[in-house]
Amino acid sequence: MTVRLIATADVHHWRDIRLEALRTEPQAFSTRHEDWADRPLADFAARFATSHIFLAFDGARPAGSVSWHADPDVPGRGWITSVFVTPSARGKGIGRDLISAALEHAGAAGIADMYLEVGASNTSAQALYRVAGFAPFVGPDRPSASCGVCELTMHLSLVGKDRGA
């Protein structure tokens, strides 16, 4: 299994894994499979303008994905989005490896605080995020990435963290 940052030349791989995520885990995402299934590849490629997308590969087949993007309104704040591991690849540490790669990349890009949003009932995803160091965010000014289906915001400070394995 390999994890790597992908470029627009790999957009077809990301489209495949994104559509699988929306089809198999519709409750976890704010967009629907039906809204994306017939869109041209260019619509998927547009995501690369604002997001850094990592894929895990099992041979040539994508087995998982994660994206992160800088918050356009708050310097130093980033958001983890679109976390997904195919059902057949779960339980092998792929989610952990994807998030670790995204956090390392974000830290090198100057992100000090990383956030994500997750459904309150999605306890398996929450467990993954806790292992990566995220904790529920509590405070009067809860940031939001406008997930739409998410009830819990989690936070991780990247300042002074060694993101190595």
Side-chain angles (χ1 to χ4, degrees), residues 103-148:
L103 293 174
E104 183 177 329
H105 189 262
I111 298 298
D113 291 290
M114 188 62 79
Y115 291 85
L116 58 83
E117 292 182 324
V118 62
S121 64
N122 194 344
T123 56
S124 59
Q126 289 175 40
L128 169 65
Y129 303 144
R130 288 179 198 278
V131 167
F134 284 87
F137 179 82
V138 292
D141 297 321
R142 178 179 170 224
S144 176
S146 301
C147 176

CSV table of all heavy atoms in Angstrom, one decimal, residues 103-148:
chain,number,residue,atom,x,y,z
A,103,LEU,N,-1.5,15.6,7.3
A,103,LEU,CA,-1.0,16.5,8.3
A,103,LEU,C,0.4,17.0,8.2
A,103,LEU,O,0.8,18.1,8.4
A,103,LEU,CB,-1.2,15.8,9.7
A,103,LEU,CG,-2.7,15.6,10.1
A,103,LEU,CD1,-2.7,14.8,11.4
A,103,LEU,CD2,-3.4,16.9,10.3
A,104,GLU,N,1.3,16.0,7.7
A,104,GLU,CA,2.7,16.4,7.5
A,104,GLU,C,2.8,17.4,6.4
A,104,GLU,O,3.5,18.4,6.5
A,104,GLU,CB,3.5,15.1,7.1
A,104,GLU,CG,4.9,15.4,6.9
A,104,GLU,CD,5.7,14.1,6.6
A,104,GLU,OE1,5.3,13.0,7.1
A,104,GLU,OE2,6.7,14.2,5.9
A,105,HIS,N,2.0,17.3,5.3
A,105,HIS,CA,2.0,18.2,4.2
A,105,HIS,C,1.5,19.6,4.7
A,105,HIS,O,2.1,20.6,4.3
A,105,HIS,CB,1.2,17.6,3.1
A,105,HIS,CG,1.3,18.3,1.8
A,105,HIS,ND1,0.3,19.3,1.4
A,105,HIS,CD2,2.2,18.3,0.8
A,105,HIS,CE1,0.6,19.8,0.2
A,105,HIS,NE2,1.8,19.2,-0.2
A,106,ALA,N,0.4,19.6,5.4
A,106,ALA,CA,-0.2,20.8,5.9
A,106,ALA,C,0.8,21.6,6.8
A,106,ALA,O,0.9,22.8,6.7
A,106,ALA,CB,-1.5,20.5,6.6
A,107,GLY,N,1.4,20.8,7.7
A,107,GLY,CA,2.4,21.4,8.6
A,107,GLY,C,3.5,22.1,7.9
A,107,GLY,O,4.0,23.2,8.2
A,108,ALA,N,4.0,21.4,6.9
A,108,ALA,CA,5.1,21.9,6.0
A,108,ALA,C,4.7,23.2,5.3
A,108,ALA,O,5.5,24.0,4.9
A,108,ALA,CB,5.6,20.9,5.1
A,109,ALA,N,3.4,23.3,5.0
A,109,ALA,CA,2.8,24.4,4.3
A,109,ALA,C,2.5,25.6,5.2
A,109,ALA,O,1.9,26.6,4.8
A,109,ALA,CB,1.6,24.0,3.5
A,110,GLY,N,2.7,25.4,6.5
A,110,GLY,CA,2.5,26.5,7.4
A,110,GLY,C,1.2,26.5,8.2
A,110,GLY,O,0.8,27.5,8.8
A,111,ILE,N,0.5,25.4,8.1
A,111,ILE,CA,-0.8,25.3,8.8
A,111,ILE,C,-0.5,25.0,10.2
A,111,ILE,O,0.3,24.1,10.6
A,111,ILE,CB,-1.7,24.2,8.2
A,111,ILE,CG1,-2.1,24.5,6.7
A,111,ILE,CG2,-2.9,23.9,9.0
A,111,ILE,CD1,-2.9,25.8,6.6
A,112,ALA,N,-1.0,25.8,11.1
A,112,ALA,CA,-0.8,25.6,12.6
A,112,ALA,C,-1.9,24.9,13.3
A,112,ALA,O,-1.7,24.1,14.2
A,112,ALA,CB,-0.6,27.0,13.2
A,113,ASP,N,-3.1,25.0,12.8
A,113,ASP,CA,-4.3,24.4,13.4
A,113,ASP,C,-5.1,23.7,12.3
A,113,ASP,O,-5.6,24.3,11.3
A,113,ASP,CB,-5.2,25.4,14.1
A,113,ASP,CG,-4.5,26.0,15.3
A,113,ASP,OD1,-4.4,25.2,16.3
A,113,ASP,OD2,-4.1,27.1,15.3
A,114,MET,N,-5.3,22.4,12.5
A,114,MET,CA,-6.1,21.6,11.6
A,114,MET,C,-7.4,21.2,12.2
A,114,MET,O,-7.5,20.9,13.4
A,114,MET,CB,-5.4,20.3,11.2
A,114,MET,CG,-6.0,19.6,10.0
A,114,MET,SD,-6.1,20.4,8.5
A,114,MET,CE,-4.5,20.3,7.8
A,115,TYR,N,-8.5,21.4,11.4
A,115,TYR,CA,-9.8,21.0,11.9
A,115,TYR,C,-10.5,20.0,10.9
A,115,TYR,O,-10.0,19.9,9.8
A,115,TYR,CB,-10.7,22.3,11.9
A,115,TYR,CG,-10.3,23.3,13.0
A,115,TYR,CD1,-9.3,24.2,12.7
A,115,TYR,CD2,-11.0,23.3,14.2
A,115,TYR,CE1,-9.0,25.1,13.7
A,115,TYR,CE2,-10.6,24.2,15.2
A,115,TYR,CZ,-9.6,25.1,14.9
A,115,TYR,OH,-9.3,26.0,15.9
A,116,LEU,N,-11.5,19.4,11.4
A,116,LEU,CA,-12.3,18.5,10.6
A,116,LEU,C,-13.7,18.5,11.2
A,116,LEU,O,-13.9,18.8,12.4
A,116,LEU,CB,-11.7,17.1,10.4
A,116,LEU,CG,-11.5,16.3,11.7
A,116,LEU,CD1,-12.7,15.6,12.1
A,116,LEU,CD2,-10.4,15.3,11.4
A,117,GLU,N,-14.7,18.1,10.4
A,117,GLU,CA,-16.0,17.9,10.9
A,117,GLU,C,-16.5,16.5,10.6
A,117,GLU,O,-16.1,15.9,9.6
A,117,GLU,CB,-17.0,18.9,10.2
A,117,GLU,CG,-16.7,20.3,10.7
A,117,GLU,CD,-17.7,21.3,10.1
A,117,GLU,OE1,-18.1,21.1,8.9
A,117,GLU,OE2,-18.0,22.3,10.8
A,118,VAL,N,-17.2,15.9,11.5
A,118,VAL,CA,-17.6,14.5,11.4
A,118,VAL,C,-19.0,14.3,12.1
A,118,VAL,O,-19.4,15.1,13.0
A,118,VAL,CB,-16.6,13.6,12.1
A,118,VAL,CG1,-16.4,13.9,13.6
A,118,VAL,CG2,-16.8,12.1,11.9
A,119,GLY,N,-19.7,13.4,11.6
A,119,GLY,CA,-21.0,13.1,12.2
A,119,GLY,C,-20.9,12.6,13.6
A,119,GLY,O,-20.0,11.8,13.9
A,120,ALA,N,-21.8,13.0,14.5
A,120,ALA,CA,-21.7,12.6,15.9
A,120,ALA,C,-21.9,11.1,16.0
A,120,ALA,O,-21.3,10.5,16.9
A,120,ALA,CB,-22.7,13.3,16.7
A,121,SER,N,-22.6,10.5,15.1
A,121,SER,CA,-22.8,9.0,15.2
A,121,SER,C,-21.7,8.2,14.5
A,121,SER,O,-21.7,7.0,14.6
A,121,SER,CB,-24.2,8.7,14.6
A,121,SER,OG,-24.2,9.0,13.2
A,122,ASN,N,-20.8,8.9,13.8
A,122,ASN,CA,-19.7,8.2,13.1
A,122,ASN,C,-18.6,7.9,14.0
A,122,ASN,O,-17.5,8.5,13.9
A,122,ASN,CB,-19.3,9.0,11.9
A,122,ASN,CG,-18.5,8.2,10.9
A,122,ASN,OD1,-17.9,7.1,11.2
A,122,ASN,ND2,-18.3,8.7,9.7
A,123,THR,N,-18.8,6.9,14.9
A,123,THR,CA,-17.8,6.7,16.0
A,123,THR,C,-16.5,6.1,15.4
A,123,THR,O,-15.4,6.3,16.0
A,123,THR,CB,-18.4,5.8,17.1
A,123,THR,OG1,-18.9,4.6,16.5
A,123,THR,CG2,-19.5,6.5,17.8
A,124,SER,N,-16.6,5.3,14.4
A,124,SER,CA,-15.3,4.7,13.8
A,124,SER,C,-14.4,5.8,13.2
A,124,SER,O,-13.2,5.8,13.4
A,124,SER,CB,-15.6,3.6,12.8
A,124,SER,OG,-16.4,4.2,11.7
A,125,ALA,N,-15.0,6.8,12.6
A,125,ALA,CA,-14.2,7.9,12.0
A,125,ALA,C,-13.6,8.7,13.2
A,125,ALA,O,-12.5,9.1,13.2
A,125,ALA,CB,-15.0,8.8,11.1
A,126,GLN,N,-14.5,9.0,14.2
A,126,GLN,CA,-14.0,9.7,15.4
A,126,GLN,C,-12.8,9.0,16.0
A,126,GLN,O,-11.8,9.7,16.5
A,126,GLN,CB,-15.1,9.9,16.4
A,126,GLN,CG,-16.2,10.9,15.9
A,126,GLN,CD,-17.3,11.0,16.9
A,126,GLN,OE1,-17.1,11.0,18.1
A,126,GLN,NE2,-18.5,11.1,16.3
A,127,ALA,N,-12.9,7.7,16.1
A,127,ALA,CA,-11.8,6.9,16.7
A,127,ALA,C,-10.5,7.1,15.9
A,127,ALA,O,-9.4,7.3,16.5
A,127,ALA,CB,-12.1,5.4,16.8
A,128,LEU,N,-10.6,7.1,14.6
A,128,LEU,CA,-9.5,7.3,13.7
A,128,LEU,C,-8.9,8.7,14.0
A,128,LEU,O,-7.6,8.8,14.1
A,128,LEU,CB,-9.9,7.1,12.3
A,128,LEU,CG,-8.9,7.6,11.2
A,128,LEU,CD1,-7.6,6.7,11.2
A,128,LEU,CD2,-9.5,7.6,9.8
A,129,TYR,N,-9.7,9.7,14.0
A,129,TYR,CA,-9.2,11.0,14.2
A,129,TYR,C,-8.6,11.2,15.6
A,129,TYR,O,-7.6,11.9,15.7
A,129,TYR,CB,-10.4,12.0,14.0
A,129,TYR,CG,-11.0,11.9,12.7
A,129,TYR,CD1,-12.4,12.1,12.5
A,129,TYR,CD2,-10.3,11.6,11.5
A,129,TYR,CE1,-13.0,12.0,11.3
A,129,TYR,CE2,-10.9,11.5,10.3
A,129,TYR,CZ,-12.3,11.7,10.2
A,129,TYR,OH,-12.9,11.6,9.0
A,130,ARG,N,-9.1,10.6,16.6
A,130,ARG,CA,-8.5,10.6,18.0
A,130,ARG,C,-7.1,10.0,18.0
A,130,ARG,O,-6.2,10.5,18.6
A,130,ARG,CB,-9.4,10.0,19.0
A,130,ARG,CG,-10.6,10.7,19.3
A,130,ARG,CD,-11.5,10.0,20.3
A,130,ARG,NE,-12.9,10.5,20.4
A,130,ARG,CZ,-13.3,11.5,21.1
A,130,ARG,NH1,-12.4,12.2,21.8
A,130,ARG,NH2,-14.5,11.9,21.0
A,131,VAL,N,-7.0,8.9,17.3
A,131,VAL,CA,-5.6,8.2,17.2
A,131,VAL,C,-4.6,9.2,16.5
A,131,VAL,O,-3.5,9.2,16.9
A,131,VAL,CB,-5.7,6.9,16.4
A,131,VAL,CG1,-4.4,6.4,16.0
A,131,VAL,CG2,-6.5,5.9,17.2
A,132,ALA,N,-5.1,10.0,15.5
A,132,ALA,CA,-4.3,10.9,14.9
A,132,ALA,C,-4.0,12.2,15.7
A,132,ALA,O,-3.1,13.0,15.3
A,132,ALA,CB,-4.9,11.4,13.5
A,133,GLY,N,-4.6,12.3,16.9
A,133,GLY,CA,-4.4,13.4,17.8
A,133,GLY,C,-5.5,14.5,17.8
A,133,GLY,O,-5.4,15.4,18.6
A,134,PHE,N,-6.5,14.3,17.1
A,134,PHE,CA,-7.6,15.3,17.1
A,134,PHE,C,-8.4,15.1,18.4
A,134,PHE,O,-8.5,14.0,18.9
A,134,PHE,CB,-8.5,15.1,15.9
A,134,PHE,CG,-8.0,15.6,14.6
A,134,PHE,CD1,-7.2,14.8,13.8
A,134,PHE,CD2,-8.3,16.9,14.2
A,134,PHE,CE1,-6.7,15.3,12.6
A,134,PHE,CE2,-7.8,17.4,13.0
A,134,PHE,CZ,-7.0,16.6,12.2
A,135,ALA,N,-9.0,16.2,18.8
A,135,ALA,CA,-9.9,16.1,20.0
A,135,ALA,C,-11.1,17.0,19.6
A,135,ALA,O,-11.0,17.9,18.8
A,135,ALA,CB,-9.2,16.7,21.2
A,136,PRO,N,-12.3,16.7,20.2
A,136,PRO,CA,-13.4,17.6,20.0
A,136,PRO,C,-13.1,19.0,20.3
A,136,PRO,O,-12.4,19.3,21.3
A,136,PRO,CB,-14.5,17.0,20.9
A,136,PRO,CG,-14.1,15.6,21.1
A,136,PRO,CD,-12.6,15.6,21.1
A,137,PHE,N,-13.6,19.9,19.5
A,137,PHE,CA,-13.3,21.3,19.7
A,137,PHE,C,-14.5,21.9,20.6
A,137,PHE,O,-15.6,21.7,20.3
A,137,PHE,CB,-13.3,22.1,18.4
A,137,PHE,CG,-13.1,23.6,18.5
A,137,PHE,CD1,-11.8,24.1,18.7
A,137,PHE,CD2,-14.2,24.4,18.6
A,137,PHE,CE1,-11.6,25.4,18.9
A,137,PHE,CE2,-14.0,25.8,18.7
A,137,PHE,CZ,-12.7,26.3,18.9
A,138,VAL,N,-14.1,22.5,21.6
A,138,VAL,CA,-15.0,23.2,22.5
A,138,VAL,C,-14.6,24.6,22.6
A,138,VAL,O,-13.5,24.9,22.8
A,138,VAL,CB,-15.1,22.5,23.9
A,138,VAL,CG1,-15.7,21.1,23.8
A,138,VAL,CG2,-13.8,22.4,24.6
A,139,GLY,N,-15.6,25.5,22.5
A,139,GLY,CA,-15.3,26.9,22.6
A,139,GLY,C,-16.4,27.7,22.1
A,139,GLY,O,-17.3,27.2,21.4
A,140,PRO,N,-16.4,29.0,22.4
A,140,PRO,CA,-17.6,29.8,22.0
A,140,PRO,C,-17.6,30.1,20.5
A,140,PRO,O,-18.6,30.3,19.9
A,140,PRO,CB,-17.3,31.1,22.8
A,140,PRO,CG,-15.9,31.1,23.0
A,140,PRO,CD,-15.4,29.7,23.2
A,141,ASP,N,-16.5,30.0,19.8
A,141,ASP,CA,-16.4,30.4,18.4
A,141,ASP,C,-16.0,29.1,17.6
A,141,ASP,O,-14.9,29.0,17.1
A,141,ASP,CB,-15.3,31.4,18.1
A,141,ASP,CG,-15.7,32.7,18.8
A,141,ASP,OD1,-16.9,33.1,18.8
A,141,ASP,OD2,-14.8,33.4,19.4
A,142,ARG,N,-17.0,28.2,17.5
A,142,ARG,CA,-16.8,26.9,16.8
A,142,ARG,C,-16.6,27.2,15.3
A,142,ARG,O,-17.5,27.7,14.7
A,142,ARG,CB,-18.0,26.0,17.0
A,142,ARG,CG,-17.8,24.7,16.3
A,142,ARG,CD,-19.0,23.8,16.6
A,142,ARG,NE,-19.0,22.7,15.7
A,142,ARG,CZ,-20.0,22.2,15.1
A,142,ARG,NH1,-21.2,22.7,15.2
A,142,ARG,NH2,-19.9,21.1,14.3
A,143,PRO,N,-15.4,26.9,14.8
A,143,PRO,CA,-15.3,27.1,13.3
A,143,PRO,C,-16.1,26.1,12.6
A,143,PRO,O,-16.4,25.0,13.1
A,143,PRO,CB,-13.8,26.8,13.1
A,143,PRO,CG,-13.3,26.0,14.2
A,143,PRO,CD,-14.3,26.3,15.4
A,144,SER,N,-16.5,26.3,11.4
A,144,SER,CA,-17.3,25.4,10.6
A,144,SER,C,-16.8,25.5,9.1
A,144,SER,O,-16.6,26.5,8.6
A,144,SER,CB,-18.7,25.7,10.7
A,144,SER,OG,-19.5,24.9,9.8
A,145,ALA,N,-16.7,24.3,8.6
A,145,ALA,CA,-16.4,24.2,7.1
A,145,ALA,C,-17.7,24.0,6.3
A,145,ALA,O,-17.7,23.7,5.2
A,145,ALA,CB,-15.4,23.0,6.9
A,146,SER,N,-18.8,24.1,7.0
A,146,SER,CA,-20.1,24.0,6.4
A,146,SER,C,-20.3,22.6,5.8
A,146,SER,O,-20.8,22.5,4.7
A,146,SER,CB,-20.4,25.0,5.4
A,146,SER,OG,-20.2,26.3,5.9
A,147,CYS,N,-20.0,21.6,6.6
A,147,CYS,CA,-20.2,20.2,6.1
A,147,CYS,C,-21.6,19.9,5.8
A,147,CYS,O,-21.9,19.1,4.9
A,147,CYS,CB,-19.6,19.3,7.2
A,147,CYS,SG,-19.8,17.5,6.8
A,148,GLY,N,-22.5,20.4,6.5
A,148,GLY,CA,-23.9,20.1,6.3
A,148,GLY,C,-24.5,18.9,7.0
A,148,GLY,O,-25.6,19.0,7.5
